[in-house]
């Protein structure tokens, strides 16, 4: 009987019909009320996500152990470890240098104002990457910290090297972060040298683009791009990447810069989730203070 | 019993894909094993079971996806159904014959994602998505289907025992 298929292997035909009818209704509701249905799906799926997270975490632990074992004991034991440590140190130092440079810029201007506003500390939660989004259309990673650890949607995700992404979905014990290289993620950025602000967005090619730069911006290749801190989730001055090319078209009002991200997304193992960055309101008041007339901003 | 076995298999496969297999991405494209499984269930047991299993698999993927909720659920359900319909009209039952149907299902599913995620981002992004994500993924899923057909060929292309 090759080629003949018999329905009803798992369910009786009555149950099957009901199942199909339910699916059709769900589909229609989803098409008519997408936002509400997504919320409902998410709420219903949360307990299931916690359940599924158990084998995922187990598998991730096995995977991590095997990879570390391979890296440390088989593939050039000593050199590999040393190289990894050095690279990690360089990455951390790069982030530190960038942070200090940003602080120096800020301190310079603050000092000229004879007014000091205390910098609120940034609180972060460390998380491990336990998996990757299965879809090729969304660049995301699964993290082992969720709502139980205080993680909420829209929180920023960073590494010592720079900005990694933003939390887009949470369950009790896991969360999903959309990476900076995804075209669906937009972050407010700033050219560190010129202080020009723009919107940083990923591209399908795995690069990052900074859009809406002022037409008279003096941005040039090699300039460092950092977060402006004006949108929620990120503190000001976290490294995003380095400008490689500046595009200017005659029919556009703005300039666009292509950026190579500072974070190596293929080797993302641990991240920091920004639980409390400085609030956008605080940043705005700081910017207003900085733009107020003073020695460096004289009144025209 | 079978439902339990399939649920366990699905959980293991999903965990395996998101963790260990996430680094298996030739040319930067990751094959969608859940899509292939949804197609195979459709081939084996008909469109309705393909639809229901696809729905379940998609829902699972949606829980851990960075995209909007529901997209995986409904595309996988559609793919499972479509695979069942195609299988009814498939005369050639060799393992290689799984290539074209799975590739077509993957391509159609990816088209939904392309329109949803890249619409409004400009023609360049759309064309890049079509050429460098949609087409390679469809071919890769088809190749995975051929390999899986060789492994599960007997189970896949023979009618279930009463």
């Amino acid at each position: 009987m090759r080629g003949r298929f018999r329905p009803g292997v798992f369910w009786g035909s009555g149950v099957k019909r009901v199942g199909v009818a339910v699916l059709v209704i769900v589909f229609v509701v989803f098409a008519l009320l997408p936002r509400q249905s997504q919320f409902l799906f998410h709420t219903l799926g949360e307990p299931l996500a916690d359940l599924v997270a158990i084998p995922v975490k187990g598998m991730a632990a096995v995977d991590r152990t095997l990879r570390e074992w391979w890296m440390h004991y088989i593939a050039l034991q000593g050199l590999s470890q040393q190289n990894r440590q050095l690279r990690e140190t360089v990455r951390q130092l790069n982030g530190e240098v960038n942070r200090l440079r940003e602080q120096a810029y800020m301190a310079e201007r603050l000092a000229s104002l004879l007014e000091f506003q205390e910098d609120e500390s940034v609180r972060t939660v460390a998380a491990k990457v336990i998996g990757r989004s299965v879809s090729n259309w969304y660049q995301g990673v699964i993290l082992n910290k969720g709502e139980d650890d205080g993680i909420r949607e829209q929180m920023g995700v960073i590494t010592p090297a720079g900005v990694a992404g933003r939390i887009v979905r949470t369950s009790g014990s896991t969360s999903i972060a959309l990476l900076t290289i995804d075209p669906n993620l937009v972050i407010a950025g700033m050219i560190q040298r010129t202080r020009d602000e723009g919107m940083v967005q990923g591209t399908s090619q795995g690069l990052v683009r900074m859009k809406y730069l002022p037409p008279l911006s003096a941005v040039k290749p090699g300039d460092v791009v950092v977060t402006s801190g004006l949108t929620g989730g990120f503190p000001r001055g976290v490294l995003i990447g380095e400008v490689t090319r500046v595009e200017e078209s005659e029919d556009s009002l703005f300039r666009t810069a292509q950026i190579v991200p500072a974070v190596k997304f293929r080797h993302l193992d641990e991240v920091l989730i920004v639980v409390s960055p400085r609030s956008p309101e605080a940043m705005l008041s700081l910017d207003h203070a900085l733009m107020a007339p003073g020695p460096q901003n004289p009144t025209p | 019993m079978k439902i339990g076995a399939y649920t366990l298999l699905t959980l293991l496969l999903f965990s395996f894909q998101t963790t260990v297999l996430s680094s298996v991405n030739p040319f930067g494209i990751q094959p969608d094993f859940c899509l292939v499984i949804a197609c195979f269930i459709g081939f084996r047991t008909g469109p309705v079971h393909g639809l229901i299993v696809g729905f379940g698999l998609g829902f699972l993927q949606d829980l851990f996806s960075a995209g909007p909720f529901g997209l995986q659920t409904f595309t996988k359900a559609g793919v499972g159904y479509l695979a069942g319909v195609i299988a009814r009209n498939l005369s050639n039952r060799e393992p290689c014959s799984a290539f074209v149907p799975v590739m077509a299902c993957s391509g159609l599913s990816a088209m939904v994602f392309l329109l949803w995620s890249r619409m409004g981002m400009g023609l360049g992004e759309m064309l890049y998505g079509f050429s460098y994500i949609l087409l390679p993924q469809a071919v890769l899923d088809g190749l995975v289907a051929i390999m899986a057909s060789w492994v599960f060929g007997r189970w896949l292309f023979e009618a279930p025992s009463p």
Side-chain angles (χ1 to χ4, degrees):
Chain A
M1 291 293 283
R2 260 168 100 85
R4 293 280 310 247
F5 296 104
R6 288 187 324 101
V9 175
F10 306 135
W11 301 275
S13 56
V15 177
K16 196 172 69 183
R17 273 188 213 133
V18 172
V20 173
V22 168
L23 287 187
V24 170
I25 292 168
V26 169
F27 180 72
V28 171
V29 171
F30 191 84
L32 294 175
L33 303 164
R35 197 173 289 272
Q36 292 87 337
S37 323
Q38 281 194 15
F39 176 74
L40 185 70
F41 267 40
H42 179 64
T43 313
L44 289 175
E46 240 185 69
L48 186 62
D50 288 339
L51 199 69
V52 177
I54 297 167
V56 171
K57 280 181 180 174
M59 201 75 88
V62 172
D63 180 42
R64 191 181 287 264
T65 311
L66 284 175
R67 267 194 294 157
E68 281 178 3
W69 182 67
W70 173 262
M71 289 295 289
H72 293 155
Y73 296 100
I74 295 180
L76 300 169
Q77 185 181 356
L79 281 177
S80 159
Q81 197 165 356
Q82 194 182 14
N83 196 340
R84 193 177 161 191
Q85 278 172 353
L86 286 171
R87 259 194 257 172
E88 188 59 37
T89 310
V90 168
R91 208 177 297 160
Q92 281 176 359
L93 287 174
N94 271 341
E96 186 72 10
V97 164
N98 188 65
R99 197 176 61 79
L100 290 172
R101 195 187 294 156
E102 183 63 24
Q103 280 183 354
Y105 273 121
M106 189 177 271
E108 199 179 301
R109 283 173 294 151
L110 283 171
S112 69
L113 287 170
L114 300 173
E115 191 178 293
F116 181 73
Q117 293 195 337
E118 200 176 340
D119 193 8
E120 286 176 35
S121 60
V122 175
R123 278 202 307 119
T124 56
V125 171
K128 276 184 181 172
V129 174
I130 56 167
R132 287 181 184 271
S133 183
V134 286
S135 168
N136 290 310
W137 298 97
Y138 294 96
Q139 303 291 330
V141 287
I142 306 168
L143 306 176
N144 71 338
K145 295 282 167 69
E147 284 170 6
D148 298 345
D149 307 284
I151 310 302
R152 299 285 178 272
E153 285 179 17
Q154 300 302 318
M155 282 181 173
V157 179
I158 59 174
T159 70
V163 174
R166 183 177 277 156
I167 301 291
V168 289
R169 186 165 296 150
T170 54
S171 68
S173 60
T174 57
S175 52
I176 317 292
L178 194 62
L179 300 178
T180 320
I181 47 173
D182 192 287
N184 297 286
L185 185 71
V186 181
I187 299 167
M190 177 174 66
I191 306 288
Q192 196 172 46
R193 186 176 59 84
T194 64
R195 320 306 290 174
D196 292 322
E197 290 179 356
M199 301 310 287
V200 177
Q201 186 179 21
T203 66
S204 298
Q205 293 93 322
L207 291 171
V208 179
R209 199 184 295 156
M210 189 168 185
K211 303 199 297 192
Y212 308 120
L213 281 166
L216 297 176
S217 168
V219 58
K220 61 180 185 189
D223 275 345
V224 169
V225 181
V226 294
T227 52
S228 71
L230 287 176
T231 50
F234 297 99
R236 174 182 278 232
V238 184
L239 184 65
I240 295 175
E242 194 180 297
V243 174
T244 53
R245 197 155 58 101
V246 181
E247 293 164 13
E248 194 173 13
S249 65
E250 286 180 4
D251 55 342
S252 175
L253 287 173
F254 302 99
R255 303 184 85 179
T256 302
Q258 264 201 8
I259 302 165
V260 171
V263 175
K264 303 288 171 234
F265 293 98
R266 275 179 178 273
H267 305 109
L268 206 59
D269 285 331
E270 283 100 18
V271 294
L272 295 169
I273 303 169
V274 183
V275 179
S276 70
R278 288 200 310 184
S279 66
E281 292 77 21
M283 295 310 304
L284 276 171
S285 63
L286 181 62
D287 273 5
H288 285 310
L290 290 171
M291 293 307 291
Q296 288 211 338
N297 298 314
T299 320
Chain B
M1 183 69 182
K2 274 184 178 173
I3 296 174
Y6 275 93
T7 309
L8 193 68
L9 178 76
T10 303
L11 278 176
L12 283 176
L13 183 83
F14 177 76
S15 309
F16 200 61
Q17 180 170 5
T18 50
T19 54
V20 183
L21 288 178
S22 64
S23 49
V24 181
N25 47 2
F27 311 110
I29 297 295
Q30 205 182 344
D32 191 345
F33 294 96
C34 290
L35 182 134
V36 176
I37 290 290
C39 284
F40 278 14
I41 299 288
F43 284 156
R44 162 81 175 174
T45 55
V48 174
H49 289 165
L51 181 135
I52 293 169
V53 172
F55 187 90
L57 277 168
F59 189 76
L60 205 60
Q61 282 191 306
D62 261 334
L63 290 175
F64 293 94
S65 161
F69 215 111
L71 213 53
Q72 296 275 10
T73 309
F74 289 110
T75 50
K76 291 288 179 303
V79 157
Y81 186 84
L82 188 66
V85 173
I86 292 173
R88 277 183 177 169
N89 303 296
L90 206 65
S91 55
N92 185 359
R93 299 277 163 181
E94 295 303 314
C96 280
S97 63
F99 178 74
V100 174
V102 171
M103 196 176 76
C105 289
S106 172
L108 283 172
S109 157
M111 187 61 85
V112 175
F113 279 90
L114 174 72
L115 293 173
W116 193 287
S117 66
R118 301 294 191 270
M119 189 73 106
M121 288 185 187
L123 190 64
E125 286 286 329
M126 294 279 283
L127 284 175
Y128 187 92
F130 185 82
S131 315
Y132 291 96
I133 304 177
L134 188 149
L135 289 180
Q137 188 184 346
V139 173
L140 200 58
D141 287 346
L143 291 174
V144 169
I146 292 179
M147 283 190 275
S149 301
W150 270 318
V151 179
F152 302 108
R154 193 180 167 80
W155 174 86
L156 183 67
F157 292 112
E158 282 182 10
S161 54

